[in-house]
Amino acid sequence: MKVLVIGGGAREHALCRALSLDPGVRELHCAPGNAGIAAVARLHAVDVLDGPAVAELAAGLGADLVVVGPEAPLVAGVADAVRARGIDCFGPGAEAARLEGSKAFAKDVMAEAGVPTARAYVCTTPGEADTALDAFGPPYVVKDDGLAAGKGVVVTEDLEAARAHARACTAAGQVVVEEFLDGPEVSLFAVTDGESVVPLSPAQDFKRAYDGDAGPNTGGMGAYTPLPWADPKLVDEVVETVLQPTVDEMRRRGTPFAGLLYAGLALTSRGVRVVEFNARFGDPETQAVLARLRTPLAGLLQAAAQGRLAAFPPLVWSDDAAVTVVLAARDYPAKPRTGDVITGLDAVEAEDAPDAYVLHAGTKLDDSGHIVSAGGRVLCVTAVGADLAAARDRAYEAIRRIGLDGAHYRGDIAARAAEAAAD
């Protein structure tokens, strides 16, 4: 089939890499893509928020399947526009994508579906937010209601910092104030056609900027899978209590969710609780998860787009572990510097492939043909190994070969899990 991927980050590079390895894909396109994706797909310029433009591009290419990567195009209705042209599209329509586009909406869906989640107040004024903060006490959890590129959540012991974020949110609309959930967090992706749910391998990501979970929230600084410390029954439990009820509730409302449903979970002392839903593959977890998937990706995504998941064969996974480490630009996540030349990519390809490889996030070619930084999270290294320790070693050996002035990365991705697995 001919496949068009929409987006230009490391998630889309991971998707394109997996699709390029699928023997069922004879032609691969990406819009707008990035400097790394150009090695595996033909790139096209398009406004990813312009549904008719994306649909026109897909039709012009004769695409059999469009895969929408980022959340903003989904919330903007790009998948609806593509489907209106009679083209299969992997990704929920605008109404269903509100599961990510509005945290207040997601809370309402979870309440109706009986999905366990944190207690929360939806506030529209600073006064309401203050009352909610007082009711829950520290640590305070304050969330933008809308999309915030993974950086709209403040978790703090500082009441004034929490109030400031709440004021900023209510000035633009509404804010969600939640109780703090204890316990480790887990990301679980599920492919769904609006009825059937097919879970992928659970992963854990690292949101804080620096080692030891210090610093501000980011879009994600690394991830790993599988989770050797997790209950083997976790995936089945989450499908039964979270994912399937949510998919059923969305269908009951007349807005079926077909695409990738991402449940961010907290494994609390009181059981599994949903932290948030996303309406697309997560970044950087996707990079690690797809490194272990052996089932051809295009067929899985097309089956979801066509409503055929119930008959799809069980997924096949590698026994290897996978670790992804993100390389971020100077001053990320505050005001990242861009335009710096990246070196060492050829060395990774020569010395570390195929067990470790680079996926581009914020990169582009400059006028001289050099690959330069073009975003906060610039690239990531994904590595596989017989266990987490081996995958970690390969990822960090590879990322140390890369040069980018002022760049930083966390040195503790999957460290605790690898140590625990070795005990």
Side-chain angles (χ1 to χ4, degrees):
M1 68 181 81
K2 292 183 182 180
V3 182
L4 169 63
V5 176
I6 301 302
R11 164 186 47 227
E12 288 74 38
H13 194 175
L15 288 165
C16 285
R17 180 182 183 274
L19 290 165
S20 73
L21 298 174
D22 185 337
V25 176
R26 63 184 175 89
E27 206 170 292
L28 183 59
H29 302 264
C30 186
N34 61 37
I37 295 174
V40 295
R42 180 181 168 193
L43 303 189
H44 304 269
V46 74
D47 178 354
V48 300
L49 300 180
D50 186 337
V54 172
E56 184 64 28
L57 173 62
L61 293 172
D64 302 296
L65 176 67
V66 175
V67 179
V68 182
E71 59 273 26
L74 293 169
V75 172
V78 167
D80 297 310
V82 171
R83 280 191 279 267
R85 292 291 294 267
I87 302 169
D88 289 337
C89 186
F90 182 80
E95 283 298 310
R98 290 180 67 203
L99 273 178
E100 179 169 4
S102 169
K103 292 178 177 61
F105 174 78
K107 287 291 186 183
D108 182 65
V109 170
M110 284 187 274
E112 290 295 321
V115 170
T117 186
R119 293 180 297 126
Y121 293 101
V122 178
C123 308
T124 58
T125 67
E128 290 178 352
D130 287 346
T131 299
L133 291 168
D134 289 341
F136 286 134
Y140 302 102
V141 181
V142 186
K143 297 182 175 181
D144 292 26
D145 180 53
L147 298 178
K151 291 172 281 188
V153 179
V154 167
V155 181
T156 180
E157 298 276 351
D158 185 337
L159 177 58
E160 287 309 309
R163 294 181 67 196
H165 189 63
R167 284 195 298 272
C169 293
T170 54
Q174 57 188 10
V175 65
V176 177
V177 178
E178 290 188 355
E179 67 172 329
F180 177 77
L181 296 175
D182 64 311
E185 293 193 8
V186 171
S187 300
L188 183 61
F189 302 161
V191 175
T192 176
D193 57 8
E195 292 191 19
S196 299
V197 172
V198 177
L200 304 187
S201 176
Q204 187 173 61
D205 76 331
F206 294 75
K207 289 295 188 188
R208 298 285 184 173
Y210 309 120
D211 286 9
D213 289 331
N217 266 347
T218 71
M221 295 298 292
Y224 70 94
T225 184
L227 310 181
W229 49 267
D231 187 331
K233 299 178 181 178
L234 174 64
V235 173
D236 289 341
E237 177 186 351
V238 174
V239 170
E240 180 180 350
T241 64
V242 174
L243 297 170
Q244 191 68 60
T246 300
V247 169
D248 292 345
E249 172 63 16
M250 293 298 289
R251 187 174 67 254
R252 186 192 68 79
R253 291 176 177 227
T255 54
F257 187 105
L260 195 290
L261 180 57
Y262 165 166
L265 308 164
L267 308 186
T268 78
S269 56
R270 295 172 291 142
V272 175
R273 297 288 185 273
V274 175
V275 176
E276 65 176 354
F277 282 130
N278 290 332
R280 39 70 192 182
F281 281 100
D283 184 347
E285 300 100 316
T286 299
Q287 292 88 298
V289 170
L290 292 185
R292 297 185 57 240
L293 181 64
R294 292 295 172 262
T295 296
L297 182 62
L300 173 64
L301 303 188
Q302 189 179 51
Q306 295 179 345
R308 298 185 289 104
L309 274 183
F312 198 81
L315 301 185
V316 179
W317 297 93
S318 164
D319 291 331
D320 287 343
V323 172
T324 291
V325 182
V326 172
L327 183 76
R330 179 193 292 271
D331 297 330
Y332 175 80
K335 294 182 178 179
R337 192 175 76 185
T338 60
D340 291 312
V341 174
I342 303 166
T343 62
L345 300 179
D346 291 342
V348 174
E349 176 66 26
E351 300 293 334
D352 303 293
D355 294 322
Y357 48 88
V358 175
L359 296 169
H360 292 234
T363 67
K364 67 176 183 180
L365 291 176
D366 68 9
D367 294 339
S368 301
H370 297 118
I371 297 177
V372 300
S373 59
R377 292 186 296 174
V378 180
L379 51 81
C380 63
V381 169
T382 295
V384 295
D387 54 27
L388 285 174
R392 267 179 50 81
D393 288 347
R394 286 172 174 166
Y396 281 107
E397 184 175 358
I399 205 167
R400 284 192 288 268
R401 302 186 197 279
I402 300 170
L404 176 63
D405 185 41
H408 63 95
Y409 57 87
R410 284 185 59 158
D412 61 349
I413 305 300
R416 289 183 181 177
E419 291 170 3
D423 289 342

